[in-house]
Amino acid sequence: MSDVLERLSKLPLRENLRGLQPYGAPQLDVPIQLNVNENTHPLPEAVSRAIADEVFAAAQRLNRYPDREFVELRSRLADYLGHDVNADQVWAANGSNEVLQQILQAFGGPGRSLLSFPPTYSMYPLLASGTDTNYIAGARAEDFQLTAESAAAQVRAHRPNIVFLCSPNNPTGTALGQDVVTAVYEAGQESQAIVVVDEAYAEFRHAGTPSALELLPGRERLIVSRTMSKAFSLAGARLGYLAAAEEVTAALRLVRLPYHLSAVTQATANAALKHVGALLANVEDIKIQRDRIVDELTRMGLTPAASDSNFVFFGGLESPSTVWSGLVAKGILVRDVGIPGHLRVTAGTEAETGAFLRELEALLEQDRAGR
């Protein structure tokens, strides 16, 4: 690999890409993988069969290009989202990362800037680099919270062209209040900032936690992005989408590649959207395991963040790397997000969650006994 990197350095690479590392989490062959926030529940068999049937039908027409406007899919997504969203307000791409990339292609680029608030989704600066958009790292409080006053002040100070708000936030799992979104939107009025609320984990919110979809009417610069990777157990299908004013989706048509959503992807997503009830039943089970993790980590003396996602960010660790390695030795992979004293774990099945909690507590007891 070092030889490849040396040869890469000799290519006429764009300057803002030099020295960057590609996005990726450690992928180890262990029995319990709780590090990348996948839905650990497989698709219900009835849904798998429905997808297979739809894909088989699509396969009969693969000699032809797919529906460039993916009309059926946009209609089904609009129905799923509700909040009076119509099909013309919906856009989709190959995963929410491509959705965000297209937003940057349309509204970012050379001489323009993107503001987000680390610690947050680590792809944001990489997407900015890939589109030659200047990335501005905002600030959060010491407890990783973001208030409306602080966020709005930073928007006014930096005057970004685009703001990414991740809610529930990755890696902390915490949801933003609607006051933060509205304050950022209003603060961005002077610079006409596009405000994107990344709701990749929205379906895992606690009851009563609102969605930014409620704020769309009358806000033509507001975008709410979602994904089918998490709640719908379709990480392997790669389907992300957004809701926004119709003029936003018109702008994204200017940068999309021709026929960017394959017939197979459209068929898979359409089939899944016909079985929303069965898929969201798994979400409720995951939420139970997430809350179980929060309760148990608190009992162990650790400090888990209140989570509205399918993962838990927790602190209070003397040596996160030691705990991470100890869990790997027991066949359990969690995520070291590089924040001192903290790790992140995806809520797994009941059995996976139980194994994680048992092994973590044993490691903590060993550590305390050795002091």
Side-chain angles (χ1 to χ4, degrees), residues 239-251:
L239 196 290
Y241 60 102
L242 62 76
E246 292 179 21
E247 53 266 43
V248 170
T249 60

PDB file of all heavy atoms in Angstrom, residues 239-251:
ATOM      1  N   LEU A 239     -29.782   3.352  -1.288  1.00  0.00           N
ATOM      2  CA  LEU A 239     -30.839   4.265  -1.692  1.00  0.00           C
ATOM      3  C   LEU A 239     -31.001   5.344  -0.626  1.00  0.00           C
ATOM      4  O   LEU A 239     -31.421   5.062   0.495  1.00  0.00           O
ATOM      5  CB  LEU A 239     -32.160   3.511  -1.901  1.00  0.00           C
ATOM      6  CG  LEU A 239     -33.310   4.204  -2.672  1.00  0.00           C
ATOM      7  CD1 LEU A 239     -33.933   5.353  -1.898  1.00  0.00           C
ATOM      8  CD2 LEU A 239     -32.829   4.703  -4.040  1.00  0.00           C
ATOM      9  N   GLY A 240     -30.626   6.571  -0.982  1.00  0.00           N
ATOM     10  CA  GLY A 240     -30.859   7.725  -0.128  1.00  0.00           C
ATOM     11  C   GLY A 240     -31.807   8.669  -0.827  1.00  0.00           C
ATOM     12  O   GLY A 240     -31.989   8.609  -2.047  1.00  0.00           O
ATOM     13  N   TYR A 241     -32.430   9.564  -0.077  1.00  0.00           N
ATOM     14  CA  TYR A 241     -33.400  10.463  -0.688  1.00  0.00           C
ATOM     15  C   TYR A 241     -33.535  11.730   0.132  1.00  0.00           C
ATOM     16  O   TYR A 241     -33.002  11.833   1.249  1.00  0.00           O
ATOM     17  CB  TYR A 241     -34.745   9.764  -0.860  1.00  0.00           C
ATOM     18  CG  TYR A 241     -35.389   9.264   0.422  1.00  0.00           C
ATOM     19  CD1 TYR A 241     -36.438   9.972   1.022  1.00  0.00           C
ATOM     20  CD2 TYR A 241     -34.963   8.091   1.043  1.00  0.00           C
ATOM     21  CE1 TYR A 241     -37.038   9.520   2.194  1.00  0.00           C
ATOM     22  CE2 TYR A 241     -35.563   7.632   2.207  1.00  0.00           C
ATOM     23  CZ  TYR A 241     -36.593   8.356   2.777  1.00  0.00           C
ATOM     24  OH  TYR A 241     -37.179   7.914   3.932  1.00  0.00           O
ATOM     25  N   LEU A 242     -34.236  12.706  -0.402  1.00  0.00           N
ATOM     26  CA  LEU A 242     -34.452  13.956   0.312  1.00  0.00           C
ATOM     27  C   LEU A 242     -35.828  14.507  -0.016  1.00  0.00           C
ATOM     28  O   LEU A 242     -36.464  14.104  -0.999  1.00  0.00           O
ATOM     29  CB  LEU A 242     -33.366  14.989  -0.029  1.00  0.00           C
ATOM     30  CG  LEU A 242     -33.211  15.471  -1.472  1.00  0.00           C
ATOM     31  CD1 LEU A 242     -34.290  16.481  -1.902  1.00  0.00           C
ATOM     32  CD2 LEU A 242     -31.853  16.124  -1.669  1.00  0.00           C
ATOM     33  N   ALA A 243     -36.253  15.440   0.823  1.00  0.00           N
ATOM     34  CA  ALA A 243     -37.458  16.224   0.565  1.00  0.00           C
ATOM     35  C   ALA A 243     -37.077  17.694   0.659  1.00  0.00           C
ATOM     36  O   ALA A 243     -36.324  18.096   1.554  1.00  0.00           O
ATOM     37  CB  ALA A 243     -38.555  15.884   1.574  1.00  0.00           C
ATOM     38  N   ALA A 244     -37.579  18.495  -0.264  1.00  0.00           N
ATOM     39  CA  ALA A 244     -37.236  19.913  -0.320  1.00  0.00           C
ATOM     40  C   ALA A 244     -38.238  20.612  -1.232  1.00  0.00           C
ATOM     41  O   ALA A 244     -39.147  19.984  -1.792  1.00  0.00           O
ATOM     42  CB  ALA A 244     -35.812  20.097  -0.848  1.00  0.00           C
ATOM     43  N   ALA A 245     -38.070  21.910  -1.395  1.00  0.00           N
ATOM     44  CA  ALA A 245     -38.892  22.646  -2.356  1.00  0.00           C
ATOM     45  C   ALA A 245     -38.637  22.116  -3.763  1.00  0.00           C
ATOM     46  O   ALA A 245     -37.553  21.609  -4.064  1.00  0.00           O
ATOM     47  CB  ALA A 245     -38.567  24.135  -2.279  1.00  0.00           C
ATOM     48  N   GLU A 246     -39.624  22.236  -4.635  1.00  0.00           N
ATOM     49  CA  GLU A 246     -39.503  21.694  -5.980  1.00  0.00           C
ATOM     50  C   GLU A 246     -38.346  22.315  -6.750  1.00  0.00           C
ATOM     51  O   GLU A 246     -37.722  21.654  -7.598  1.00  0.00           O
ATOM     52  CB  GLU A 246     -40.817  21.900  -6.739  1.00  0.00           C
ATOM     53  CG  GLU A 246     -41.970  21.064  -6.182  1.00  0.00           C
ATOM     54  CD  GLU A 246     -43.270  21.293  -6.928  1.00  0.00           C
ATOM     55  OE1 GLU A 246     -43.224  21.770  -8.081  1.00  0.00           O
ATOM     56  OE2 GLU A 246     -44.337  21.004  -6.354  1.00  0.00           O
ATOM     57  N   GLU A 247     -38.014  23.580  -6.460  1.00  0.00           N
ATOM     58  CA  GLU A 247     -36.907  24.201  -7.170  1.00  0.00           C
ATOM     59  C   GLU A 247     -35.565  23.587  -6.779  1.00  0.00           C
ATOM     60  O   GLU A 247     -34.602  23.620  -7.557  1.00  0.00           O
ATOM     61  CB  GLU A 247     -36.885  25.717  -6.946  1.00  0.00           C
ATOM     62  CG  GLU A 247     -36.912  26.174  -5.512  1.00  0.00           C
ATOM     63  CD  GLU A 247     -38.322  26.471  -5.017  1.00  0.00           C
ATOM     64  OE1 GLU A 247     -39.237  25.671  -5.329  1.00  0.00           O
ATOM     65  OE2 GLU A 247     -38.507  27.495  -4.334  1.00  0.00           O
ATOM     66  N   VAL A 248     -35.486  22.995  -5.574  1.00  0.00           N
ATOM     67  CA  VAL A 248     -34.257  22.306  -5.171  1.00  0.00           C
ATOM     68  C   VAL A 248     -34.077  21.033  -5.987  1.00  0.00           C
ATOM     69  O   VAL A 248     -32.983  20.751  -6.492  1.00  0.00           O
ATOM     70  CB  VAL A 248     -34.269  21.997  -3.664  1.00  0.00           C
ATOM     71  CG1 VAL A 248     -33.110  21.064  -3.290  1.00  0.00           C
ATOM     72  CG2 VAL A 248     -34.194  23.286  -2.850  1.00  0.00           C
ATOM     73  N   THR A 249     -35.138  20.242  -6.105  1.00  0.00           N
ATOM     74  CA  THR A 249     -35.008  19.021  -6.895  1.00  0.00           C
ATOM     75  C   THR A 249     -34.741  19.342  -8.364  1.00  0.00           C
ATOM     76  O   THR A 249     -34.035  18.606  -9.056  1.00  0.00           O
ATOM     77  CB  THR A 249     -36.260  18.131  -6.765  1.00  0.00           C
ATOM     78  OG1 THR A 249     -37.418  18.837  -7.227  1.00  0.00           O
ATOM     79  CG2 THR A 249     -36.483  17.717  -5.316  1.00  0.00           C
ATOM     80  N   ALA A 250     -35.252  20.471  -8.835  1.00  0.00           N
ATOM     81  CA  ALA A 250     -34.942  20.899 -10.207  1.00  0.00           C
ATOM     82  C   ALA A 250     -33.455  21.208 -10.344  1.00  0.00           C
ATOM     83  O   ALA A 250     -32.833  20.886 -11.366  1.00  0.00           O
ATOM     84  CB  ALA A 250     -35.776  22.129 -10.565  1.00  0.00           C
ATOM     85  N   ALA A 251     -32.869  21.811  -9.303  1.00  0.00           N
ATOM     86  CA  ALA A 251     -31.431  22.116  -9.334  1.00  0.00           C
ATOM     87  C   ALA A 251     -30.603  20.842  -9.365  1.00  0.00           C
ATOM     88  O   ALA A 251     -29.580  20.775 -10.070  1.00  0.00           O
ATOM     89  CB  ALA A 251     -31.061  22.956  -8.115  1.00  0.00           C
TER      90      ALA A 251
END
